[in-house]
Amino acid sequence: MIGAGPVGCELAQAFARFGSQVHLLEEEHQILGREDRDAAELVTRALVHDGVQLACGCKILAVRQDGAQKIITFDRAGEKKELRVDQLLVGVGRSPNVEQLGLELAGVAYDTKNGVTVDDRLRTSNPNIYAVGDVCFRYKFTHVSDATARIAVQNALFFGRAKASALTIPWCTYTDPEVAHVGMYERDAKERGIKIQTIEVPLSDVDRALVDGEDGGFLKVHLKRGTDKILGATLVARHAGEMISEITLAMVAGVGLKTIAETIHPYPTQAEVIRKAADEYTLSRLTPLVKKLSTKLLDWRR
């Protein structure tokens, strides 16, 4: 498997669990290069545990056929190596299929790297034509294609003014454990000059995760410092993709961790990790001054 992005990691782990001997080659020095480093490290451990032979920092030099087998030549740390395999899967990104469609005749601007050019309302350079999904959008997920299609229908048929930039987009890498994310990463906030407070809760603090034997994960929530406003979150868990929607909903609705702290979560569930993060935020507001005043108040009431 060449490429240790989401698709590469998912397929590498799947084939390893099917019984194949899997080699995963990645040019960068970690898998899931766009994800939270701690999350990527947990997935790395899971892949190695499942028998995937991982090699990061590899530059592919050549691939050739030798009978029924393929031979991959690559450089790693200045050393040239060869790997002989039965099958080769490539997961190094996607290119939009926009050529030979006659888009020029329709007055639709595009380029072969980014696809069809659209404005924030998904209208192309031909005002009567809209584009949605992977062919024009940065985030290439099935659920994003659905969301952008809804925007295009609203704007094209019902005089809507919906904007793609207003979307709050979650995504998930379906390894085991899964890695789900929504909103900003810590590096995004830093690049934008936004001061944040990060709350982290390990799944080992969640009773259901312990009982299920699935406590090797965590939740990180990034808040705008001084508020409970959620800017982003990363969740690593067996069913992280199922659980991230609660945080996405809170972000879309404009409610923060204070509201989540006031929301009763069934016990025992792994989703309780989200409430625990909200409780951590509440405790973080207990500054030394607040603690001192609270102590005096309780002493007085006695």
Side-chain angles (χ1 to χ4, degrees), residues 7-237:
V7 173
C9 290
E10 290 167 356
L11 291 178
Q13 188 178 49
F15 277 100
R17 290 186 171 188
F18 285 146
S20 298
Q21 181 181 3
V22 178
H23 296 266
L24 179 58
L25 308 182
E26 168 57 41
E27 186 173 13
E28 301 297 328
H29 292 286
Q30 73 165 67
I31 68 170
L32 301 176
R34 297 179 182 178
E35 283 295 347
D36 179 275
R37 283 188 174 272
D38 293 333
E41 177 59 30
L42 285 179
V43 176
T44 298
R45 294 178 197 170
L47 293 176
V48 172
H49 179 268
D50 286 336
V52 175
Q53 299 186 47
L54 176 62
C56 291
C58 297
K59 183 177 181 180
I60 307 299
L61 302 176
V63 177
R64 70 180 189 273
Q65 188 89 22
D66 183 18
Q69 293 188 317
K70 289 86 176 173
I71 300 176
I72 307 163
T73 304
F74 62 95
D75 179 280
R76 189 182 188 193
E79 183 179 354
K80 189 175 180 180
K81 298 183 178 182
E82 285 192 347
L83 181 63
R84 184 181 293 267
V85 297
D86 298 313
Q87 297 296 338
L88 177 62
L89 297 177
V90 180
V92 293
R94 305 177 188 179
S95 297
N97 185 13
V98 292
E99 299 180 272
Q100 300 180 353
L101 294 179
L103 295 178
E104 304 90 342
L105 299 177
V108 175
Y110 70 93
D111 65 70
T112 55
K113 180 180 179 180
N114 300 308
V116 175
T117 303
V118 295
D119 62 16
D120 202 16
R121 293 185 170 84
L122 302 180
R123 187 168 51 187
T124 70
S125 53
N126 182 330
N128 295 315
I129 298 177
Y130 289 73
V132 304
D134 293 6
V135 78
C136 68
F137 209 66
R138 173 187 175 189
Y139 299 103
K140 303 185 186 305
F141 305 109
T142 302
H143 53 282
V144 175
S145 296
D146 176 83
T148 54
R150 293 168 187 265
I151 288 176
V153 169
Q154 180 180 342
N155 291 344
L157 302 181
F158 302 104
F159 308 103
R161 304 292 291 172
K163 295 181 178 181
S165 61
L167 293 173
T168 299
I169 300 173
W171 57 81
C172 184
T173 297
Y174 297 100
T175 48
D176 184 10
E178 296 177 355
V179 179
H181 179 83
V182 63
M184 294 184 188
Y185 292 97
E186 187 173 358
R187 63 178 180 270
D188 297 327
K190 186 175 182 179
E191 289 171 0
R192 300 181 193 184
I194 302 173
K195 294 183 178 181
I196 63 172
Q197 174 189 358
T198 299
I199 293 175
E200 182 172 354
V201 179
L203 278 182
S204 57
D205 285 354
V206 180
D207 292 350
R208 177 62 181 271
L210 287 169
V211 171
D212 290 341
E214 299 170 1
D215 57 335
F218 63 83
L219 170 65
K220 282 186 183 180
V221 182
H222 305 302
L223 306 175
K224 185 176 180 180
R225 186 176 294 179
T227 75
D228 72 334
K229 181 180 180 180
I230 302 171
L231 298 179
T234 296
L235 176 59
V236 183

